[in-house]
Amino acid sequence: MSTQPFRLASGGQIDRRREISFTFDGHTYSGYAGDTLASALLANGVRLTGRSFKYHRPRGILTAGSEEPNALVELRTGPRREANTKATTIELYDDLTAASQNRWPSLKLDLMAVNSILSPVFVAGFYYKTFMWPAALWEKLYEPAIRRAAGLGRASKDADPDTYEKANTFCDVLIIGGGPAGLAAALSAGRTGARVIIADESFALGGSALNDSAPIDGMPPAKWVASALAELSQMPDVRIMRRTTVFGIYDGGTYGAVERVNDHVATPPMGQPRQRLWHIVAKKAVLAAGSIERPIVFGGNDLPGVMLASAVRAYVNRFAVAPGESAVVFTNNDYAATTAADLARAGVKVAAIVDSRPQPTEWVRNIAKTAGIELISGVVLDAKGGQRVEGVVVRTRDGQERKIACDLVAMSGGYNPNIQLTTHLGGKPAWNNDLAAFVPGSFPPGISVAGAAAGQFGLQTVLAAGTAAGSAAAGASGGSEPLAPAPRAEDEGTAISPLWRVEGYRGKAFVDQQNDVTASDVELAEREGFRSVEHLKRYTTLGMATDQGKTANVNALAIMAHLTNKSIPDTGMTLARPPYTPVALGALAGHHRGKDFKPTRLPPSYAWTKEQNGRVVETGLWLRPSYYPRAGENDWLDTVKREVNTVRNSVGICDVSTLGKIDVQGADAAEFLDKIYMNAMRKLPVGKARYGGMLREDGIFLDDGTVARFDENHFFITTTTANAVKAFQHMEFCHQWLWPELDVQMISATEQWAQYAVAGPKSRDLLRKIVDPEFDISDEGFPYLKVGHITVCGGIKARLYRLSFSGERAFEIGVPSRYGDALLRRMMEAGKEFGVCPYGTESLGVMRIEKGHISGPELNGITTPNDVGLGGMVSTKKDFVGRVLNGRPGLTDPNRPALIGFRPVDRSRRLRSGAHFLAKDASPSPENDDGHMSSVAYSPTLGHWVGLGFLRRGPNRIGEIVRAYDPLRGEDTLVEVVSPVFVDPEGVKVRG
């Protein structure tokens, strides 16, 4: 006890048998299991916990929950260091290390506190006014200085060593909040047999029942909470989710929640995540999130030792901590007087209860009389002190001023129901004059609100409302048992007479303590015309911090309402957006980081490729074979020359399994594809394939590939590897939103099929040794662009396509993925007599450039079918996605750069992708830029470099000599404009 001088000798919900050591700003302290960092610091007499954002004023602990604006610390060290964590929500654990923020060189001696002296300069919007002149200093001085000053804590620069998970769960009734109303709702819903989830952000359920002392069902409130949790834990269909914040409500009864699985330990156990993001789908939900107490705006209300009355009650009753030795309770309502009674019972001197109402109610008078506390009708003008409260100046109802010595001020301006979640789907709050607070006006579908969150104050009222809401939600979800009686309790006094701001104070009076927004800042915003609540928020930075204005916004609205002679509801209210409290980016990402963010996919040929010392390259998410070097080859270019020559003269095999594959079926499949592709698909014969191009809605080329028709209502399409997901998303969007009436289904089949291109003059000879003999694959039996079902290797079902990307006679053969490796090995064995070789993406790229085939560099997101020479394929007899906008004048301008071929005038010169085209005598400038080189390759067939590119009026300039200018590499090459088809322009080879 000697190390915790402010720890009460008894009581609380802490485990005194388990002492915990922790450090704060390098000093070692001790606390108990069940403490938060805030309660442990208070128990050790630590009142100063941080410095304010703008003025670097001393700040202490204001609240006991997630609404805390001041006590923000850096938690942990090294790669696990986390900035801006709330000391009020950090569960104390062994070897916890925390540090204060936003101070230099130390918390007690912060040289930046000079900003407080300069506060007349740093008013609302000061950066808009102060740093405008001279303009030349903005980039050199002002902006760098502002950026260095921005923020509070320091994020770690090291990689996060922890893991995060995502999970989904379903229930009949979701209870949001584990206070008295939430527990009563869970009990009544659980007793009906409904599937119930109760989620609470704290590690200990009970909410205000743990913080207060009023009995429930004749038991101390903490004992009743333990009894309720014991019953719930025995119900097989009830899940209790501690340390879980429901942070957002989304469409379809979906709720976002983050579970802090291992935030209460220094290092998560092996194999366990730090946090888990939950997608909860519930038939019905009950919001029982309670309420948040409001501060009162008076001079010096930000000094350490000025706290919310409810927080003082929590530290006394739940944590057995005396937040001070001598207290003044300042209130405009009945409930805060309970704080004075609890302090007195705990042995803390209460110097006075200051009630701002002209006539304190009988409830308050009785508490003051019973506890022997002086009751003053008046207001606290100013709190006095340096780095903590040392006293207050009170102005009594008759205008007299008194100084009262104290080190604790427990203030209460009333309660704001926690309605943030009800506004996430556009719900509008309503103002309640009797409560002087916003209450839920309209709710998201499927949710009801109970207890203090609904503006229902008084313990018995809260318990009854929770019981009724839980039973009703369960009944609406299929439960049938009758309503159980609500737990019994007594309602406390809840009368309130609004007081938002004390007039006549001398010190600074803060509305938003985290952002250093004062009452005078709100006045300045009004004078300068920023009266709209959205303008007020952005001009003053009000409510734009980790607490999202939970303790500040209503006071600010009330002050603005007074200044503009409007009512508070007429002044308006900013609506909350998800998340309710900050959510770590790691939790949102889950496993999607590093290689899990971009997971590596291995094609069927991967194992065999590595055995052959083949090189692989990332293509989208796949590791595709790039080239297969052999002994004696000097570099990749030697290998590519050999592979290309082998394909052109004999036969080669390339793994094309990574191409996107989409299976499309349904009575309207042909009509659907006709709307998707720019060229006709409806009349594609069964057993044939066709090249197809997809356009975006703006008329730009999205992707290309092939469409094969296996049956009247069965199509199988391919896309490029990189655009497989994008193309599938596009098709799903078109089906679900544009033509949902069409009878068509589709599924990605990329991973289900191993597919190999077998290309070259000897390709059929090789396949005859693989394809079962009853299938005719001759030119007559299986001509170019034919597709069909076959069997291979003695009965294995397969698909055969007569397609070519290389320009040679070629086939693509597909088998279920589990046979992919075996099929490749069998084909390589069968092709030995023909000198078969495997080839990868490098050789494939060379051959497609030789044939003038477009690929990724040409489908770069800004080109049209006309640009790439495929304008003749665009159908004029049907409608399809992108048809209208593809006809815009800017996209059909004949001066647009169009695809054409290039070869160097000096055949020994190398071409460079990315080089810009200029007329021979033009100077290098943007005005003279005629286009760019998109793809280049050394052509083993021709013996020199060739390229594809986009040249202004390209097809009309064949035979012209232009410059390929590459300033990055310092090259300037004369090139001849030629046809983009360099090899076999008549297409004889592809047809055999």
Side-chain angles (χ1 to χ4, degrees), residues 20 31 39 45 88 106 158 173 178 253 279 319 351-352 357 377 402 432 504 546 639 738 771 811 824 934 949:
I20 293 176
S39 65
T88 51
S106 69
D158 299 324
V173 181
H279 292 177
F319 300 108
R357 295 172 290 186
S377 180
R402 290 178 51 186
N432 187 307
T546 60
T639 301
L738 303 184
V771 176
F811 298 81
L824 174 61
S934 57

Side-chain angles (χ1 to χ4, degrees), residues 589-637:
H591 284 298
H592 295 164
R593 50 188 291 209
K595 274 298 179 184
D596 290 329
F597 174 70
K598 190 177 179 182
T600 298
R601 295 183 179 182
L602 304 180
S605 62
Y606 183 79
W608 185 86
T609 296
K610 299 308 287 185
E611 291 172 13
Q612 307 303 311
N613 195 33
R615 306 296 192 264
V616 296
V617 64
E618 286 191 9
T619 308
L621 298 179
W622 294 91
L623 289 183
R624 290 192 71 177
S626 180
Y627 58 98
Y628 294 83
R630 290 182 180 174
E633 294 173 342
N634 296 320
D635 56 20
W636 66 273
L637 188 54

Side-chain angles (χ1 to χ4, degrees), residues 63 69 173 261 468 555 557 583 652 685 720-721 819 824 836 924:
T63 75
V173 181
V261 181
N555 283 342
L557 298 177
V583 177
T720 61
T721 298
Y819 298 117
L824 174 61
V836 66

